[in-house]
Structure formats: structure tokens, C-alpha cells
Amino acid sequence: MAFFTTSDDRRLFFDDIGAGTPVLCLAGLTRNSQDFAFLAPHITDVRMITMDYRGRGQSDHDPDYMNYNIVRESLDVIELLDHLRLDRAVVLGTSRGGLIAMALAVSHPERLSGVILNDVGPVIDPVGIAKIMDYVGKQPTSKTYDEAAKILQQVMEQQFPGVSLDRWRQQAEIQYELTDDGLTLRYDPALRTALLEQTAAGKFPDLWMFFEALRDIPTGVIRGANSDVLGKDTLVEMHKRHPDLISAEIPDRGHVPFLDEPQSLALMRKVLDTV
């Protein structure tokens, strides 16, 4: 576990373990490096690098919350690779992390030896966007991890049937920090303000251009069968635009798969074997 300082003087957390092919794991919008804890025991033969984006986990919050954007976060990724003196890496991007991977395919394709997108593509289902905006920046009402686990299980049961309460407790520990007053977010609540203001500022670019920049890069896509973010039709179109794309649909998973499912691991291994 270590920190590096960005070009705009933010101190960001990262972890770097193992040896072999460098795999840089990028978490979802509000998540952090701990989100890959379920995956870590299954890929011990690679150099696994995780990071907390600015404003998340153990990284500095940014006093200018508008810097919570994909362009700045993509630059932070490149600066981490430079700090580690890595020319290239496989990027495993969950949700927001996948959008960053696509952005890097446009701005720095030479730094990508492969890309794995975890339940994200160039079209984000409006239902998923609405659900995300419903919780971003809002403090948990639970006072303990046990309470939070029960709520997660109740809320997520339809998309994640059969997932144990113990797994949801582990997820609660990843998402929330325990304080004397109960649980709190492990990220800057101003992230919500940033999203709202960025949305109000103008139309977002067509992400198909970013996805198509992956055509010459070994790419895999993991989709939760119950996902409300990555639609089946979008995945079909992704295959049309990237003929060498490989994908796997994970049963009994929504947004996002935990990445320790056999199908997820098999797809990741295919991409890693390619690079």
C-alpha cells in the first residue's frame, strides 16, 4: 500500500502486489480499491494494481469537485503508470473504470495491452443511471455493518438472487466506513454535485467512438445477466463493432458482478492469455 502525488498535487492511494502481467484494476463511480478483494485470491499469478480515484477511499478529496470527471481521472491513471514506470498494463474497469479504459483507448492506446470491461459499455441504460443518481452522495442510514448488509441483501436480491448475507456484509465493509456515529461514505459526497453540474453543463459525447478505439486492443466484456446498466442489445452491437471482442454473461448477477464468478474468471484468463 502506497501513495503517489498527481500533477495537480493530489495524494492518491494505490496498492501493488504480485508479479507477472500488470493488471490495473479501476473501480466503479463510488467504489474504491477494496472492491477487488473478492477477485484478488484468484489472480495471484499477475501483478495486481489497484487505486482509489481522487475523492474515494484513502485518496485526497479534491477541493474542486468538478475534477471528479473521466478526463482528470484518466490522467491520474496515466500518472500512476508513469509513477510505477510501467509502459503498458491490462486495465480491468468496473463501470466507471470501464469508461476510463475507453477514454484511455482514445488518448493513450499505447499504454493498454488489454482491456476488460465489467458490466459497462458505450450505452448506459437510463434505468441504471436513475438508480445510480438515487444513491450517489447520500449517507447510509445504517449504524452497523450488520444492518447495512441486511439492507443490501433486500435491495439487491432481485438482481443478485441467492447471494449470502455474509457476502453482503463484506460488501458493506468495502462501501462504508464505521465511525462513532455509525456508517459513513468512503467517498466525497460532493461527487453527487459534480455529476449534477456536469450533466447540466451539456451533452455527453457519443461513447461509441471511445469503444471503437479498442478495436486493435484485446478486449473482453463481463455482463451481469440481470444488469440494468449494460443492456443485451448494447452488447450485441459491441460485438459487431469489435469483431475480436469476447464476452461472458454472468447468471444471477446484476450491476456489477463480484468478479470471482467462474465465468468472470474464465473471461479474464482468456484476455490475459492473449496479451
Side-chain angles (χ1 to χ4, degrees):
M1 296 186 290
F3 292 85
F4 76 104
T5 302
T6 63
S7 55
D8 63 345
D9 206 32
R10 299 279 79 80
R11 185 170 177 262
L12 305 189
F13 170 86
F14 72 95
D15 201 3
D16 183 1
I17 60 174
T21 301
V23 179
L24 176 58
C25 303
L26 303 178
L29 176 68
T30 64
R31 303 290 188 90
N32 57 71
S33 54
Q34 295 183 56
D35 224 36
F36 299 95
F38 303 126
L39 169 64
H42 301 279
I43 55 169
T44 55
D45 59 333
V46 305
R47 181 177 177 182
M48 183 175 178
I49 304 160
T50 57
M51 70 177 292
D52 290 344
Y53 307 132
R54 58 181 61 213
R56 284 79 145 190
Q58 299 180 59
S59 291
D60 284 350
H61 289 192
D62 197 316
D64 181 1
Y65 56 76
M66 290 300 279
N67 282 329
Y68 298 143
N69 66 72
I70 288 173
V71 174
R72 179 65 246 190
E73 291 163 10
S74 298
L75 180 57
D76 291 341
V77 168
I78 294 300
E79 291 181 357
L80 172 58
L81 292 178
D82 290 345
H83 174 79
L84 296 172
R85 298 182 180 179
L86 282 173
D87 292 333
R88 307 171 78 205
V90 174
V91 172
L92 166 58
T94 291
S95 197
R96 173 79 155 210
L99 298 180
I100 291 172
M102 287 189 279
L104 291 173
V106 173
S107 64
H108 295 82
E110 74 284 355
R111 308 302 292 269
L112 301 175
S113 54
V115 168
I116 302 163
L117 304 174
N118 182 20
D119 208 61
V120 69
V123 176
I124 301 176
D125 193 303
V127 173
I129 293 176
K131 184 179 290 186
I132 290 168
M133 291 308 301
D134 189 51
Y135 71 76
V136 172
K138 297 181 180 179
Q139 294 291 345
T141 57
S142 306
K143 297 297 183 182
T144 68
Y145 286 130
D146 286 339
E147 289 178 20
K150 291 177 182 178
I151 291 175
L152 283 172
Q153 188 177 52
Q154 292 168 2
V155 171
M156 304 300 286
E157 177 64 21
Q158 186 172 359
Q159 283 193 326
F160 291 79
V163 174
S164 70
L165 186 61
D166 180 64
R167 171 55 65 98
W168 289 122
R169 194 186 192 284
Q170 291 175 280
Q171 188 64 50
E173 292 177 10
I174 290 170
Q175 292 183 211
Y176 307 124
E177 183 176 353
L178 183 61
T179 71
D180 292 339
D181 298 320
L183 301 183
T184 189
L185 300 174
R186 288 192 185 272
Y187 63 90
D188 185 353
L191 180 59
R192 178 181 183 82
T193 308
L195 291 175
L196 292 172
E197 293 189 12
Q198 289 162 12
T199 300
K203 187 178 179 180
F204 287 99
D206 181 357
L207 295 180
W208 281 111
M209 177 188 73
F210 292 81
F211 173 74
E212 288 172 358
L214 293 168
R215 282 179 64 94
D216 296 326
I217 299 170
T219 304
V221 181
I222 294 167
R223 178 182 182 271
N226 302 326
S227 176
D228 55 11
V229 169
L230 176 57
K232 289 185 177 182
D233 292 344
T234 299
L235 183 56
V236 169
E237 185 64 22
M238 291 166 74
H239 275 282
K240 291 179 181 178
R241 301 198 190 199
H242 191 317
D244 295 325
L245 181 72
I246 60 173
S247 65
E249 188 167 87
I250 316 305
D252 297 332
R253 294 291 183 265
H255 187 74
V256 289
F258 296 112
L259 295 177
D260 62 348
E261 304 88 0
Q263 302 90 340
S264 296
L265 295 170
L267 180 132
M268 284 185 271
R269 185 57 57 189
K270 287 181 182 178
V271 175
L272 290 170
D273 287 346
T274 300
V275 303

